[in-house]
Amino acid sequence: MKVLANDGISQSGIDALEKGGYEVSTTTVAQEQLVNYINENDISVLLVRSATTVRKDLIDACPNLKIIGRGGVGMDNIDVEYAREQGRHVINTPAASSHSVAELVFGHLYGLARFLHNANREMPLEGDSNFKGLKKAYAKGTELKGKTLGVLGFGRIGQATAKVALGAGMKVVAFDPFLDKANLELDFFDGQKVNFDIETISKEEVLKQADFLTLHVPAQKDYVIDEAEFNMMKDGVILANAARGGVVNEVALVKAIESGKVARAALDVFEKEPKPEVQLLMNPALSLTPHTGAATNEAQDRIGTELASQIIDILG
Ligand SMILES: O=C(O)[C@H](O)COP(=O)(O)O
């Protein structure tokens, strides 16, 4: 049987599939040529990340497609319900990338707390003409230790991020509409484990208490953070969105930065991908990455092998 991994798959995933007797293609087929490619090459399994979309028209036009697999968490690029109604299997890998996303968020938060995103690019190329000026400009960094991290969305990724925060000496407050409490187990390099119980509180309380705020919610119809939510936050809050573009109102974010409500913010996801608004790209208060939360070798290895084992379980 043939698998098309249109947005790529790890070598470990390819190896596991080939061992199971599958033929794997990692050709990237343009969205508008996908239907023809799938039908002409008799593809049974289509694997995607967030770049390729799998909508109703593709599902209807590819009757022999048995499995649609999302290498990752968010399935907003797939018409999941419709595909399942048509008898197709739709799979994803919800746990595989949590820790990688959490570490990216902390990369941004530590960077923003010490202005690394700007200091890096502004270091003088020649001589020390501006060295002292930069040192002064970036003298008012903050520590994360002892501060409060607000987590909106306390599922796998929110909890993984909270664990990193606890390890860094932060207080964690969290909101999740589907969860009253969670037990977090921190496992250390020497095998020791420490457990923390966290009871979730209201969204409003999280917004009021957070010195740093991170979002781990799925894409939804309305903004989760809009003008009203910014108004509830502490002045000078630092915010990170590695969840989905459209969860934060980008126009309201820029306004909140201009007013000083938000000191700085990190965005890994954008309302317009792959072409974020220029006003975001140019803003010195923003630390930006091109949707790379899950883009680590470790996460992609786990994703590839998990997809392979699910496919083999389903199709044999
Ligand atoms: O939903 C996800 O898994 C993340 O947004 C990662 O997306 P990616 O697979 O395109 O990196």
Side-chain angles (χ1 to χ4, degrees), residues 99-112:
H99 189 71
S100 290
V101 178
E103 287 195 0
L104 183 85
V105 166
F106 267 81
H108 275 295
L109 294 183
Y110 276 117
L112 284 167

Side-chain angles (χ1 to χ4, degrees), residues 8-302:
I9 183 171
S10 66
Q11 189 57 46
S12 53
I14 296 176
D15 292 346
L17 282 165
E18 286 180 348
K19 210 169 150 206
Y22 291 80
E23 196 181 307
V24 184
S25 163
T26 53
T27 311
T28 302
V29 182
Q31 187 75 46
E32 56 282 5
Q33 282 150 24
L34 208 45
V35 167
N36 280 346
Y37 187 94
I38 290 170
N39 290 331
E40 279 168 16
N41 292 281
D42 201 17
I43 301 290
S44 304
V45 180
L46 171 63
L47 300 180
V48 301
R49 288 178 60 181
S50 56
T52 303
T53 55
V54 186
R55 298 289 172 219
K56 184 176 180 295
D57 50 348
L58 184 146
I59 297 161
D60 285 340
C62 300
N64 296 328
L65 197 57
K66 294 184 173 59
I67 299 183
I68 299 156
R70 163 64 160 112
V73 183
M75 307 243 265
D76 38 316
N77 53 328
I78 302 171
D79 283 344
V80 177
E81 231 173 276
Y82 183 77
R84 287 186 176 144
E85 278 165 21
Q86 305 307 307
R88 319 303 173 85
H89 295 272
V90 185
I91 58 174
N92 69 340
T93 57
S97 49
S98 307
H99 189 71
S100 290
V101 178
E103 287 195 0
L104 183 85
V105 166
F106 267 81
H108 275 295
L109 294 183
Y110 276 117
L112 284 167
R114 303 298 290 273
F115 308 95
L116 303 189
H117 64 299
N118 279 335
N120 263 319
R121 61 186 175 217
E122 289 174 6
M123 279 296 283
L125 280 178
E126 282 171 30
D128 66 353
S129 55
N130 198 27
F131 193 96
K132 283 184 184 161
L134 279 181
K135 184 170 165 116
K136 202 169 166 202
Y138 297 133
K140 294 207 182 302
T142 54
E143 293 181 348
L144 273 68
K145 190 171 188 318
K147 304 293 190 311
T148 298
L149 178 72
V151 185
L152 293 184
F154 212 44
R156 289 183 185 86
I157 302 176
Q159 291 185 23
T161 309
K163 287 195 212 180
V164 179
L166 291 167
M170 300 184 84
K171 178 183 172 187
V172 173
V173 291
F175 164 72
D176 191 299
F178 306 108
L179 201 72
D180 294 332
K181 56 176 185 253
N183 178 265
L184 306 186
E185 187 169 83
L186 273 70
D187 36 357
F188 292 92
F189 71 96
D190 62 355
Q192 277 195 68
K193 293 185 191 306
V194 178
N195 284 73
F196 285 85
D197 285 316
I198 296 197
E199 291 192 5
T200 56
I201 57 175
S202 69
K203 177 180 172 185
E204 191 173 343
E205 271 309 312
V206 170
L207 295 176
K208 279 185 186 162
Q209 292 183 28
D211 302 303
F212 294 82
L213 185 70
T214 184
L215 307 174
H216 299 291
V217 296
Q220 38 211 282
K221 199 165 59 61
D222 298 317
Y223 292 121
V224 173
I225 301 292
D226 206 340
E227 209 175 319
E229 284 76 19
F230 281 118
N231 288 337
M232 290 179 209
M233 295 178 197
K234 280 188 183 174
D235 289 342
V237 67
I238 290 182
L239 174 119
N241 181 16
R244 275 291 174 273
V247 161
V248 175
N249 180 343
E250 291 172 351
V251 173
L253 171 64
V254 171
K255 270 196 203 158
I257 289 169
E258 281 163 7
S259 75
K261 173 59 78 178
V262 170
R264 294 175 290 286
L267 297 176
D268 183 49
V269 289
F270 303 87
E271 289 192 61
K272 288 191 187 145
E273 285 186 30
K275 280 193 182 166
E277 291 291 348
V278 176
Q279 59 165 352
L280 300 175
L281 301 175
M282 307 283 289
N283 196 316
L286 292 177
S287 173
L288 307 173
T289 41
H291 201 147
T292 49
T296 62
N297 295 332
E298 293 85 351
Q300 291 306 317
D301 267 347
R302 287 191 290 267

